[in-house]
Amino acid sequence: MDVNLVMFKTNGQRKDFPVRSAVTVIGRGENCDLQIPLVSVSRRHCEISAAGDQIKAKDLASSNGTYVNNKRITEVELKAGDRLVIGPVIFTVQVDGQPEEIHPVKTRGQRMAETAEAAQAEVIDLEADVSAEAEGDEEVILGDLEPATEEIDPISALEALAAESQDKPKKKK
């Protein structure tokens, strides 16, 4: 089973984070598999587990909660197309390429700039910077950013993440 967590930058650029392990921990801590270095994200916020044909999201007693399809969860089975919200970050769950088309969720700033008709779209405050541990023990790092100490420009950080993940040589096990 091929599972991706898909998010969009404010400019509409798509970013996929593959879930390759049986258990993937998401949080702001340096030891997390998927790191979101923002204060609103707990050190160990939630985990995604994949076993057989089942994918589950489990909140790890995070301060601000984990949400799936706008409902706060303790543990829930994820399905293709579900929206997973961790702090200010929105991921769409993609399983074996489904759903094929994923559209970005409107942020509060974008919503306020649009007409009242378009304001009926889903809303969240902002996107966050995310880094992921690559295959093996290699970790993708967001350059010189200091996690959880200041607001980080999401666009710059994600561009740095993409550049570093392409340029960094793979470690051998």
Side-chain angles (χ1 to χ4, degrees):
M1 179 169 39
D2 183 32
V3 179
N4 285 309
L5 298 179
V6 180
M7 69 172 285
F8 289 86
K9 294 169 42 171
T10 53
N11 68 359
Q13 184 180 359
R14 177 178 165 153
K15 188 76 179 141
D16 291 28
F17 296 93
V19 177
R20 293 189 176 117
S21 305
V23 176
T24 300
V25 176
I26 303 171
R28 85 168 184 259
E30 292 179 11
N31 60 343
C32 291
D33 302 304
L34 193 68
Q35 187 179 17
I36 305 171
L38 295 174
V39 176
S40 60
V41 176
S42 295
R43 284 181 186 90
R44 291 177 47 87
H45 199 96
C46 80
E47 71 179 23
I48 307 298
S49 59
D53 63 347
Q54 196 173 56
I55 309 156
K56 289 187 178 182
K58 179 180 179 182
D59 185 73
L60 299 176
S62 65
S63 299
N64 295 321
T66 301
Y67 294 81
V68 173
N69 300 327
N70 299 324
K71 293 180 184 173
R72 191 170 182 156
I73 59 110
T74 304
E75 185 171 10
V76 69
E77 183 175 347
L78 294 173
K79 295 177 179 40
D82 282 348
R83 295 277 168 90
L84 173 67
V85 180
I86 300 166
V89 180
I90 304 171
F91 294 104
T92 300
V93 179
Q94 186 179 47
V95 182
D96 294 329
Q98 297 298 318
E100 284 183 28
E101 283 192 42
I102 299 174
H103 302 283
V105 176
K106 299 290 182 189
T107 64
R108 184 170 308 282
Q110 292 168 328
R111 183 182 136 218
M112 291 167 65
E114 294 178 350
T115 65
E117 180 182 312
Q120 300 301 318
E122 292 178 72
V123 177
I124 192 90
D125 285 325
L126 59 105
E127 294 172 357
D129 312 308
V130 180
S131 64
E133 189 171 298
E135 292 180 31
D137 295 330
E138 179 184 357
E139 184 179 333
V140 179
I141 300 168
L142 291 175
D144 298 323
L145 299 176
E146 295 181 26
T149 57
E150 61 182 69
E151 274 304 310
I152 301 169
D153 175 27
I155 295 171
S156 299
L158 286 169
E159 287 170 349
L161 170 64
E164 286 185 26
S165 64
Q166 291 173 357
D167 296 339
K168 196 169 184 181
K170 301 279 183 195
K171 286 185 182 177
K172 295 185 180 192
K173 291 185 178 184

